[in-house]
Amino acid sequence: MIYGLTYDIDLSKDCDRIVNLRHAGQAVDDTDQLAVATNSYRAHGGGGFFKVGPNDVLDVTATGARDLLVDYLRRRGTVTGQTETVWRFAPLSGAHAAVYSAPQAKPLSRPHKLRATQTTADGFAVFDLKL
């Protein structure tokens, strides 16, 4: 997930499943270029991510991402978060998925998206997700 990007995942496709890709509400074209802030581990392909070439790196600061975040939080004080829908499954007629979670998630589920169906023997709540 990248802040400011939203997209749909179309499970009816064999490949190129990311559709309706948008940045700040505007459609992203195949030729658009975006700058992404990351750490050196990810930029060098760590965790299975795409390795960034040396000509594609914009060195903005030598300060590490962790230190930048700590400094920001210290200056900011209290930080309150808000949830945003970043991605969703594209509608797929008649398709459903089973989602396993903690039973405490039941009050948080949205009736039109998730429906609690059962609790497993080992204590997980099972939800039905209509795609």
Side-chain angles (χ1 to χ4, degrees), residues 24-73:
Q26 300 296 315
V28 175
D29 188 74
D30 289 344
T31 59
D32 289 344
Q33 293 184 357
L34 303 171
V36 176
T38 189
N39 58 27
S40 61
Y41 174 75
R42 294 280 188 243
H44 291 98
F49 283 81
F50 176 78
K51 184 176 180 179
V52 177
N55 294 331
D56 294 323
V57 174
L58 302 172
D59 283 325
V60 177
T61 179
T63 306
R66 178 187 173 278
D67 294 328
L68 289 171
L69 183 57
V70 168
D71 288 345
Y72 171 80
L73 293 173

Side-chain angles (χ1 to χ4, degrees), residues 12-33:
S12 69
K13 296 183 174 190
D14 290 333
C15 58
D16 297 327
R17 290 182 168 186
I18 302 300
V19 297
N20 196 26
L21 180 63
R22 297 182 168 282
H23 177 259
Q26 300 296 315
V28 175
D29 188 74
D30 289 344
T31 59
D32 289 344
Q33 293 184 357

Side-chain angles (χ1 to χ4, degrees), residues 93-104:
S93 181
H96 293 258
V99 178
Y100 292 76
S101 187
Q104 295 85 348

Side-chain angles (χ1 to χ4, degrees), residues 1-6 24-25 80-88 110:
M1 295 187 326
I2 298 175
Y3 181 78
L5 285 183
T6 59
T80 57
Q82 58 187 26
T83 60
E84 294 181 28
T85 301
V86 175
W87 65 270
R88 68 183 186 108
R110 299 178 188 165

